[in-house]
Amino acid sequence: MAAPESGDGNNGAARMVTLISSDNTRFEVEAAAASLSQTLQLTILDGGGGGGDGIPLPNVDSATLSKVLEYCIKHAPAAANGGAPNATAVDRAELERFDNEFVNIDQSVLYSLIMAAHNLEIEGLQSLVAKKVADMIKGKSPMEIRRTLGFPDPTPEEQAEMNAHMLEYGWAYE
Amino acid sequence: MVTGAEVLRLPTLVPHLTHGWSAGLLCAAPAGCKNDGDHATTADDCPFRVVVVSADPVTGITSAYVYSSEQHSWTAEISMQHNYGFTVPVLCGARIGNDGALYFFTDGPEFCCLEYRMMSTQQLSLISLPSEWESNKWIAFMTAENGGLGLAMLDGYDLYTLSRETETGEEAVGGQCGLSYSSYCALCELLHSSNESGPLRWGPSTYGCFRPRHESTKSIPLPPPRSRLHFTQRNPPPTSSGRSMAPPCRRPPEMPEELVEEILLRIPPIEPAALVRASLVCKSWGHLISSPRFRHRYRSFHRGPSVMGLICNLKDVNGEYVARYVPASCPSARRHADDLRGWRVLDARHGRVLIRSLVHGAYLDVWDPVTGERRVLTATPPIKDGWNAAVICAGHGTCDHRDCRGGPFLVFVFGANDPDWISLSVYSSETARWDRPRRVAELPEHGMDVVPPCLVGNALYFGIDLSRSILRYDLATRIASVTDQPPGSFGCFTVPMGMKDGGLGLARLKGSTLSLWSLYAYPDGDLSWVEITAIELNRHLPAGALPVSSNFLGCAQGFVVFFVGTEDGLYSFDLKSGIVKKVCDDKGILSVVPYITLYTPGRHFHGL
């Protein structure tokens, strides 16, 4: 089973929910972690995801979901405290270090990760990956950005327009 | 030259050049270079010449100084008298043909270039260029097919090349080829992929270079039929390598627009070029970025304008005055356009930078250091002496200054026009003229200080009388008044500045002590200065940087970030975080003006 280990750490009253990825892998996590997702939170509050049911996530594959849950598990305690006010400087520094390493991944994974964060409405994760993507594209030319994000090559008309604008905004390309 | 790393130091050129100058390098092999036309494999011992051209706009004399590698010395000066009063812009030299001629663009009233011919006349001459090309900025020298002078010009989507008809002895330039819209697309692809140097360059040089080949080698008389140019690529790039960044074949699902917006919002504002480039990625990104909604969100997200960079007034190693833009994003990656030689920055506000010429009289320009755009004031200020000036958006009072950087502006010049009085004259970019000077205040003993002024609310503040007082000018009532600076300020460097509460503040540098003051208004109307804090800069700066220069100080973001000069270059000091950072290595800085704005491609960006 691909359930993250840390999900098993707390044997107390922590409620567990099961999430099912698009390729039918089951992930068992604490409800508190899954509730970082606004979408899942509603289902969980309604009592869904417990027992053998599981919540199907047809838009998220298992590789992406495990990454998403890694983030949620790490951030769940801070989120439960209402975020920053109770967090110590050490905790915040630790989360920052985790975030920096977390997004240090292949760009195709980043792409599915941001899509998943968007679909599941996990604001912190979406914002973290968006910042990473913004940093990746800021030094690139329009053509390189297209290729980075997997856009199809431009049509000749689009290319001509891009070129004309590049000449007009020559200062942005020096 | 390519293989070795040997540096040959040329003897110092006497006299010292004080005006605009330019230089070029020529191969001086007796019968041209045998290797090939490009001198690409020139041997290390091949003799060469360096030609330095300088024009004095006052006397109208243009001089050339030639260095010969065989004699390892500069030859006597070659002079030419002309009536144009032009200067020679830097870095416009081009080497043409095997008979060794160099050409320099000039900025005289007529569109012409300066020719220095090494082999035959060794004289300077002026050559008229086709005047219909004058206004075009994408123009470059090239070597024509016949080895003579050629020009390349880009007009919209058309590339034109012209060669000079030397046989007929006429000054006209003939032989023209056009490049059509569709070939241009292919051309740009090629420009992106090739790193090879060809004989023709154009536009921002980082685009790359290419080599044009005419369909027919015979010269075409004017007016010419437009013929296609062929472009051959020297080293065709592997077709697939550029695509390796693309994700696997399965197309990922398209990113929803709100997600794209979240990404673009996070592009740092201190890298305005990144947002411009992103706006060209595709139509929808272009529309998104130029939409008022996005621009509004971008501003709120980044909490308004930020310090985009600094403009330093400095004296470089040659003793030349330079106004240098140091972008905050990447201080070391300086562009050619970031240096204005012979200019001084007086003030910066609302995305506009006011600069004055130090070479050609008191000309003023308004400069956008991000885009390099310059707007010229049509006349010098009608104030004779000792003046200082401020630039503001013409709509101040009603404009929110969110997107007005390219809009109309006002320039306020205060100075001593007649004895005992400070006079004011205002220039409006809309009427393109100065109004008649008007006396506004008594002239203090030491006149106006040349310190960047500040705008607080609806009033402009200028330091006067060697920091003894401050001149306040109310833009609404048009009344000026004078207030004392804090006691002990006389002779120190002080900068007036707006406080967060909307009041007036002042930063003072006395020795290495930075003190901050706030002007407190008592209920009965009395004003007095209250010292907020005093900081011993020596304790905060690295030991190797000391001593601090007490001649200037820059401050930004309501007394939070300060810029101080040291032996070791320019340092920024963030009062809030205590972070001290080296901004640049430049020595000889005379003053700094922070450039604070927020750039979003919008009003002047039409979208795709």
Side-chain angles (χ1 to χ4, degrees):
Chain A
M1 188 59 67
E5 288 169 13
S6 44
D8 302 331
N10 192 340
N11 292 324
R15 183 183 157 200
M16 304 301 280
V17 290
T18 306
L19 308 175
I20 306 163
S21 69
S22 61
D23 44 359
N24 275 324
T25 309
R26 298 173 74 87
F27 291 82
E28 201 183 355
V29 287
E30 281 183 31
S35 293
L36 254 60
S37 152
Q38 296 294 312
T39 320
L40 292 176
Q41 193 180 35
L42 292 176
T43 318
I44 294 166
L45 284 177
D46 288 345
D53 292 353
I55 304 169
L57 301 171
N59 292 328
V60 189
D61 63 32
S62 57
T64 310
L65 188 54
S66 79
K67 194 78 185 155
V68 168
L69 293 176
E70 185 189 340
Y71 175 89
C72 290
I73 290 162
K74 188 76 187 178
H75 279 260
N81 290 338
N86 296 334
T88 66
V90 178
D91 288 342
R92 280 201 298 272
E94 163 60 17
L95 274 186
E96 204 170 298
R97 189 200 56 80
F98 169 85
D99 284 354
N100 285 338
E101 275 178 27
F102 182 78
V103 288
N104 206 4
I105 46 174
D106 189 76
Q107 62 193 35
S108 60
V109 185
L110 275 180
Y111 190 94
S112 17
L113 200 56
I114 196 170
M115 291 294 272
H118 182 67
N119 290 330
L120 294 170
E121 296 178 66
I122 307 170
E123 203 186 321
L125 179 59
Q126 179 180 303
S127 158
L128 175 66
V129 183
K131 177 84 189 89
K132 173 73 180 179
V133 178
D135 285 343
M136 276 166 54
I137 65 178
K138 73 181 183 193
K140 291 189 163 70
S141 72
M143 202 57 155
E144 287 165 341
I145 296 174
R146 285 184 79 106
R147 286 172 182 165
T148 300
L149 298 180
F151 287 14
D153 280 352
T155 62
E157 289 77 25
E158 282 177 327
Q159 179 68 59
E161 283 184 89
M162 280 167 78
N163 293 338
H165 280 273
M166 271 188 204
L167 290 180
E168 192 177 333
Y169 287 88
W171 61 268
Y173 299 89
E174 284 182 27
Chain B
M1 283 202 192
V2 181
T3 50
E6 191 188 344
V7 174
L8 178 68
R9 191 168 288 276
L10 268 52
T12 309
L13 175 61
V14 181
H16 175 69
L17 301 178
T18 51
H19 301 284
W21 58 274
S22 184
L25 181 71
L26 275 169
C27 170
C33 205
K34 289 193 184 76
N35 295 303
D36 72 22
D38 287 343
H39 300 257
T41 50
T42 301
D44 284 349
D45 55 358
C46 197
F48 66 91
R49 303 266 194 281
V50 174
V51 183
V52 173
V53 188
S54 170
D56 186 329
V58 181
T59 61
I61 293 175
T62 299
S63 311
Y65 307 87
V66 183
Y67 168 83
S68 154
S69 67
E70 298 108 301
Q71 292 157 15
H72 190 52
S73 65
W74 294 93
T75 60
E77 169 182 345
I78 305 163
S79 293
M80 180 188 66
Q81 177 78 43
H82 61 80
N83 301 320
Y84 294 133
F86 60 71
T87 57
V88 182
V90 184
L91 292 176
C92 284
R95 175 189 52 78
I96 309 292
N98 281 338
D99 59 346
L102 269 175
Y103 296 85
F104 302 87
F105 282 120
T106 65
D107 67 352
E110 282 176 31
F111 189 43
C112 53
C113 70
L114 194 65
E115 179 191 56
Y116 166 78
R117 204 164 268 281
M118 177 179 66
M119 290 301 176
S120 49
T121 60
Q122 296 211 1
Q123 279 179 349
L124 291 172
S125 47
L126 277 176
I127 298 170
S128 297
L129 298 174
S131 56
E132 61 271 26
W133 283 16
E134 188 167 7
S135 58
N136 194 295
K137 60 177 175 174
W138 304 116
I139 186 162
F141 288 122
M142 57 180 278
T143 305
E145 291 247 305
N146 60 12
L149 173 63
L151 287 170
M153 179 197 72
L154 197 63
D155 182 11
Y157 297 111
D158 293 331
L159 176 81
Y160 297 92
T161 59
L162 276 82
S163 60
R164 186 173 175 226
E165 304 249 319
T166 47
E167 313 304 322
T168 61
E170 285 177 21
E171 295 282 277
V173 188
Q176 184 177 4
C177 287
L179 171 72
S180 77
Y181 183 93
S182 57
S183 322
Y184 176 60
C185 305
L187 171 66
C188 270
E189 269 291 300
L190 185 130
L191 291 180
H192 277 296
S193 52
S194 170
N195 291 322
E196 284 289 301
S197 252
L200 176 58
R201 284 164 179 269
W202 111 68
S205 55
T206 45
Y207 279 3
C209 307
F210 62 93
R211 170 191 282 271
R213 196 180 65 203
H214 295 265
E215 204 161 55
S216 145
T217 50
K218 87 183 164 188
S219 114
I220 308 159
L222 274 173
R226 282 190 180 186
S227 65
R228 288 275 171 97
L229 288 178
H230 282 303
F231 294 89
T232 50
Q233 209 167 311
R234 286 174 145 189
N235 287 327
T239 47
S240 60
S241 70
R243 312 288 157 101
S244 60
M245 300 280 280
C249 359
R250 191 173 64 84
R251 279 257 309 121
E254 198 153 312
M255 206 181 271
E257 186 171 300
E258 60 265 31
L259 200 47
V260 172
E261 186 169 322
E262 290 304 313
I263 292 170
L264 297 178
L265 269 181
R266 286 168 174 81
I267 288 181
I270 59 166
E271 297 193 37
L275 208 55
V276 171
R277 289 192 297 258
S279 69
L280 302 185
V281 163
C282 62
K283 274 185 189 184
S284 60
W285 286 32
H287 284 307
L288 175 67
I289 291 174
S290 57
S291 72
R293 204 184 82 84
F294 177 82
R295 274 152 47 207
H296 182 77
R297 274 200 76 193
Y298 192 75
R299 274 164 200 283
S300 338
F301 192 86
H302 297 285
R303 300 204 181 98
S306 50
V307 182
M308 301 273 282
L310 273 181
I311 305 131
C312 303
N313 290 312
L314 55 94
K315 216 172 180 180
D316 72 2
V317 284
N318 303 320
E320 216 179 337
Y321 288 99
V322 180
R324 172 171 296 164
Y325 177 55
V326 183
S329 57
C330 193
S332 55
R334 193 177 298 143
R335 304 170 304 172
H336 174 55
D338 293 337
D339 270 6
L340 299 184
R341 296 194 163 267
W343 290 82
R344 179 189 175 102
V345 171
L346 298 176
D347 187 29
R349 188 168 298 103
H350 304 148
R352 302 154 170 94
V353 177
L354 184 66
I355 51 175
R356 73 160 285 181
S357 170
L358 297 172
V359 182
H360 308 299
Y363 285 100
L364 289 166
D365 279 10
V366 168
W367 179 40
D368 183 334
V370 172
T371 63
E373 190 193 339
R374 294 265 288 268
R375 292 189 281 168
V376 178
L377 275 65
T378 50
T380 55
I383 304 254
K384 285 182 223 128
D385 291 317
W387 50 265
N388 196 9
V391 61
I392 66 169
C393 162
H396 185 65
T398 52
C399 179
D400 62 5
H401 307 304
R402 288 185 165 186
D403 194 21
C404 65
R405 54 196 296 126
F409 58 84
L410 298 172
V411 174
F412 291 77
V413 169
F414 291 86
N417 210 36
D418 35 29
D420 309 329
W421 288 96
I422 292 179
S423 297
L424 160 69
S425 179
V426 183
Y427 179 90
S428 155
S429 68
E430 286 166 304
T431 60
R433 60 183 194 87
W434 294 94
D435 67 3
R436 218 157 53 90
R438 181 167 68 84
R439 292 170 175 182
V440 291
E442 275 183 46
L443 183 71
E445 187 185 350
H446 300 286
M448 305 286 298
D449 298 344
V450 191
V451 173
C454 79
L455 176 71
V456 183
N458 216 17
L460 281 169
Y461 294 88
F462 287 81
I464 58 171
D465 205 13
L466 287 180
S467 303
R468 202 189 321 250
S469 332
I470 286 181
L471 175 76
R472 176 183 194 272
Y473 180 76
D474 191 305
L475 297 171
T477 63
R478 305 178 68 201
I479 292 173
S481 56
V482 174
T483 310
D484 284 345
Q485 292 199 18
S489 297
F490 181 71
C492 301
F493 192 92
T494 62
V495 206
M497 185 148 194
M499 304 282 290
K500 272 193 180 145
D501 62 5
L504 179 67
L506 185 117
R508 179 172 88 189
L509 192 58
K510 199 172 198 172
S512 59
T513 310
L514 169 68
S515 55
L516 307 179
W517 303 74
S518 168
L519 188 62
Y520 184 73
Y522 289 97
D524 62 2
D526 276 1
L527 297 170
S528 91
W529 288 100
V530 178
E531 185 169 350
I532 309 167
T533 181
I535 300 140
E536 189 50 51
L537 290 172
N538 285 352
R539 290 203 200 124
H540 296 273
L541 293 168
L546 302 175
V548 168
S549 152
S550 53
N551 299 328
F552 74 89
L553 171 74
C555 49
Q557 289 180 343
F559 280 161
V560 172
V561 185
F562 293 88
F563 300 96
V564 285
T566 71
E567 281 288 289
D568 188 35
L570 188 71
Y571 278 80
S572 75
F573 173 48
D574 189 318
L575 204 57
K576 221 173 194 173
S577 65
I579 294 174
V580 174
K581 265 198 301 201
K582 191 173 184 178
V583 180
C584 61
D585 282 327
D586 293 316
K587 313 285 191 297
I589 296 179
L590 306 168
S591 63
V592 292
V593 181
Y595 181 61
I596 302 163
T597 187
L598 186 72
Y599 185 87
T600 46
R603 186 155 135 170
H604 307 282
F605 177 81
H606 316 293
L608 282 168

